[in-house]
Amino acid sequence: METLPLIPRPGAAGTQDYRVLQAQWATRYGAYRDEQNVWRLADGRTLAESIFGKPHPAYKILTWGCQMNERDSEILAGQLEEMGMVPAGLLDDADLILLNTCAVRETAEEKVFGTIGYLKVLKQKNPDLILGLCGCMAQEEATIRRIQRYYPHVDLVFGTHNVHQLPQLIERVRREEGMVVDVWQAAEGVVEHLPSRRAGGVKAWVNIIYGCDKFCTFCIVPTTRGRERSRRPEDVIAEVEYLAAEGYKEVTLLGQNVNSYGKDLGIGFDFADLLARLDQVPGIRWIRYTTSHPRDFTDKLIRTIAESDKVTEHFHLPVQSGSNQVLRWMNRRYTREYYLRLIEKIREAVPDACITTDIIVGFPKETEEDFRQTLDLVRQVEYDNAFTFIYSPREGTPAARWPQLPREVKQERLERLMEVQYEINLRKNKRLVGQRAVVLIDGPSKKNPQVLSARTRTNKLVLVPGDAAWAGRFARVEITRAQTFTLEGRLLELLPDDAPEIGRHGQFSPYGAAAQGA
């Protein structure tokens, strides 16, 4: 079989085709792909059956962290099912358990270690069980040392840069004695055509850029995810077109900093250009993206979003602090004044914009005056919602070496911030009562199967009584009640997928006069 070489491009190591890489490995077994894209041996057994020594070996993936981790888990599952593995209903039924981890906050890490400790019991009952740790925590040297010292029942540790090697890594665990640790310090470009077991429904995630070059002093992401690597536009577009053909109606573009998309390609094609091109894909109705860095949110990008039909009006812009002094310590590369002007420009171009943010309280050396400036900025911007966090030191980042504030000071500031933001949340949501909006129905809510969970274009969560069969449908609803984080509504009508009000320029705006119409 012909080998596909690395495809060179400016600023990147190249692009590889997973299908070729996997074929080179699987054919060593004399394996072939069947009609369901499952690798089988000449005797009919799957690769998984051969490696595990039993029919239909099962897997379980536990995921912590952001949408990037959730997307990685879909890819991990896709690889396992191409090998012939099946999802396990319960942990006890699994032959392979993977813990896909997050390193952004200490609480998430401790939950992972607690889970590893719990899984020791399963490993003792079933010595053939393969237990693996992957994701961002695996990229940290301290994590690897801790696993090797205290958790010898872990069989496999691999990181974010060699996710595509999962089948080969499982084979190594079966072949070698002791724990297999294979963590790459950097990625070898971008791997395309990865298999995926996507979540059901009509919403899909699409990676467009990996890594981050911003090096905020509190953030471990450049260490765990590496430097920025953009996928080629044609590969992203082809994936979205495929999703549309498969019936998906909403895509969320993913990256640590989506606004940096294309800078490393050197072809004069940026994130605004990508959005404009994806806006033309038939079948996709709503386009979301996360996460944006305020420093790279250009006037061109604002204009493109305002002019698009499918890119939604939800702007998530992490400010982190309202103090210029703290922003400098954080290495955020913008000022309070720059950020506020950016908010003004967004609201001038997109009057019905929903703006949310991330805020860290208790950053090292943050004074009471610094914190008050953050409260002032929150009151001035009036975010629709804010994700608020107590600063958590991450080993290997500059801020972790600085003097830390007392825990009680951090907690007290967090509570004051939440009190201010929750009041704004409720007040803004109450303005929507009596108005009408278009929503995409996700399915039954977690708490009540008789109530459906739905999202507006501006990403407001709306709970609507209805039939579970409506999942995946667009609908027009009237907002009947507002709470701090959710809205309640009643169904007015289910809409066809090509209804004009689904798009931006025909929608019932959640803040405009059109929302009052019959």
Side-chain angles (χ1 to χ4, degrees):
M1 180 176 292
E2 182 181 358
T3 300
L4 183 72
L6 286 177
I7 302 172
R9 61 185 185 188
T15 297
Q16 294 177 285
D17 190 327
Y18 174 84
R19 298 168 299 186
V20 173
L21 298 174
Q22 186 69 357
Q24 291 171 340
W25 174 71
T27 50
R28 288 168 35 206
Y29 287 85
Y32 67 93
R33 284 182 184 271
D34 67 13
E35 294 180 354
Q36 285 75 43
N37 281 325
V38 175
W39 287 99
R40 292 187 179 276
L41 305 179
D43 61 9
R45 291 181 301 157
T46 66
L47 274 179
E49 289 180 62
S50 173
I51 292 172
F52 283 87
K54 60 181 294 189
H56 311 300
Y59 72 89
K60 191 77 171 178
I61 302 175
L62 306 179
T63 309
W64 290 261
C66 65
Q67 293 97 329
M68 295 285 284
N69 279 30
E70 295 284 354
R71 178 69 187 123
D72 283 349
S73 289
E74 292 181 343
I75 292 169
L76 293 169
Q79 293 180 82
L80 295 173
E81 295 192 10
E82 276 198 353
M83 292 175 64
M85 299 195 75
V86 298
L90 301 173
L91 285 173
D92 295 62
D93 301 328
D95 300 287
L96 168 71
I97 299 175
L98 292 178
L99 281 63
N100 189 6
T101 62
C102 172
V104 172
R105 281 176 290 279
E106 183 179 7
T107 51
E109 290 198 353
E110 291 308 316
K111 287 179 181 178
V112 170
F113 284 118
T115 302
I116 295 174
Y118 166 76
L119 292 175
K120 184 177 182 179
V121 176
L122 293 185
K123 184 74 173 177
Q124 290 171 336
K125 290 195 301 184
N126 178 15
D128 291 332
L129 169 68
I130 294 179
L131 177 58
L133 178 107
C134 59
C136 292
M137 279 178 62
Q139 292 291 146
E140 299 177 302
E141 291 184 9
T143 295
I144 297 174
R145 292 194 301 268
R146 184 171 173 180
I147 292 291
Q148 291 174 325
R149 183 172 181 180
Y150 298 109
Y151 303 95
H153 59 286
V154 173
D155 302 289
L156 172 63
V157 179
F158 65 102
T160 59
H161 301 313
N162 57 336
V163 167
H164 61 284
Q165 290 197 320
L166 179 58
Q168 293 92 319
L169 294 170
I170 293 172
E171 179 199 35
R172 283 182 57 189
V173 170
R174 283 296 191 215
R175 185 178 71 242
E176 300 177 11
E177 292 291 334
M179 185 186 302
V180 172
V181 178
D182 194 334
V183 178
W184 296 6
Q185 293 301 308
E188 296 180 349
V190 173
V191 179
E192 290 290 348
H193 305 297
L194 287 156
S196 177
R197 186 180 193 272
R198 295 184 185 271
V202 295
K203 298 181 177 183
W205 292 314
V206 177
N207 294 110
I208 67 170
I209 184 172
Y210 303 93
C212 184
D213 289 353
K214 284 295 184 283
F215 292 95
C216 299
T217 59
F218 57 83
C219 186
I220 197 67
V221 165
T223 298
T224 59
R225 290 283 179 174
R227 303 300 295 269
E228 291 174 354
R229 307 174 308 283
S230 300
R231 296 178 64 195
R232 297 177 301 189
E234 60 267 30
D235 291 326
V236 177
I237 295 165
E239 181 175 349
V240 173
E241 289 175 340
Y242 168 80
L243 291 170
E246 290 291 302
Y248 289 90
K249 300 172 185 176
E250 175 184 302
V251 295
T252 300
L253 309 178
L254 298 179
Q256 266 72 38
N257 179 12
V258 291
N259 301 0
S260 286
Y261 174 81
K263 290 181 179 180
D264 59 313
L265 297 178
I267 59 175
F269 191 94
D270 62 14
F271 184 49
D273 297 321
L274 181 65
L275 288 180
R277 177 61 181 83
L278 295 178
D279 197 58
Q280 303 170 24
V281 175
I284 298 298
R285 301 315 311 269
W286 288 357
I287 300 171
R288 304 187 189 274
Y289 54 91
T290 189
T291 295
S292 294
H293 193 291
R295 189 70 187 89
D296 298 322
F297 216 105
T298 64
D299 292 346
K300 175 185 176 182
L301 180 55
I302 296 172
R303 186 168 60 251
T304 298
I305 294 171
E307 294 172 355
S308 72
D309 189 57
K310 299 176 181 179
V311 183
T312 61
E313 299 75 59
H314 176 211
F315 296 78
H316 186 69
L317 285 168
V319 66
Q320 306 300 3
S321 175
S323 162
N324 281 338
Q325 181 169 248
V326 174
L327 290 173
R328 283 194 300 272
W329 292 333
M330 290 180 168
N331 193 34
R332 291 293 287 175
R333 306 184 189 183
Y334 55 80
T335 64
R336 171 195 181 96
E337 292 74 22
Y338 169 91
Y339 184 91
L340 290 173
R341 176 56 186 145
L342 175 60
I343 297 296
E344 288 179 6
K345 288 192 286 188
I346 289 172
R347 285 183 168 152
E348 287 169 2
V350 188
D352 50 358
C354 170
I355 299 176
T356 57
T357 196
D358 295 341
I359 298 174
I360 296 172
V361 300
F363 191 74
K365 301 185 285 188
E366 179 190 69
T367 66
E368 176 63 22
E369 177 55 30
D370 292 326
F371 175 68
R372 287 176 181 170
Q373 290 178 31
T374 297
L375 291 180
D376 178 71
L377 182 138
V378 168
R379 294 188 180 102
Q380 188 170 344
V381 175
E382 290 201 323
Y383 294 106
D384 288 77
N385 197 12
F387 300 91
T388 56
F389 308 97
I390 289 177
Y391 170 72
S392 177
R394 301 286 79 204
E395 183 176 340
T397 62
R401 300 191 298 267
W402 301 340
Q404 305 295 309
L405 298 183
R407 174 75 187 187
E408 57 270 20
V409 172
K410 297 179 182 180
Q411 184 64 42
E412 189 266 346
R413 288 178 183 173
L414 177 67
E415 292 171 1
R416 286 161 61 193
L417 174 59
M418 290 191 299
E419 182 179 0
V420 170
Q421 182 57 50
Y422 289 178
E423 186 277 327
I424 295 171
N425 281 18
L426 184 58
R427 174 160 40 85
K428 296 196 77 169
N429 282 346
K430 283 183 175 179
R431 295 179 191 169
L432 302 177
V433 173
Q435 297 189 12
R436 298 178 179 185
V438 172
V439 298
L440 177 55
I441 299 171
D442 291 325
S445 67
K446 295 179 180 179
K447 295 182 178 180
N448 185 348
Q450 305 302 315
V451 175
L452 301 176
S453 174
R455 292 276 177 177
T456 67
R457 282 178 59 98
T458 54
N459 210 34
K460 297 280 189 177
L461 176 61
V462 184
L463 302 176
V464 184
D467 191 327
W470 298 347
R473 295 288 303 275
F474 288 97
R476 192 154 61 97
V477 300
E478 180 181 356
I479 306 303
T480 58
R481 185 178 177 221
Q483 299 186 67
T484 304
F485 301 108
T486 61
L487 301 168
E488 296 178 11
R490 66 181 183 92
L491 180 76
L492 298 177
E493 62 176 327
L494 295 172
L495 298 171
D497 290 346
D498 59 353
E501 57 262 55
I502 292 172
R504 168 165 174 73
H505 299 298
Q507 75 170 46
F508 284 79
S509 166
Y511 295 109
Q516 306 295 338

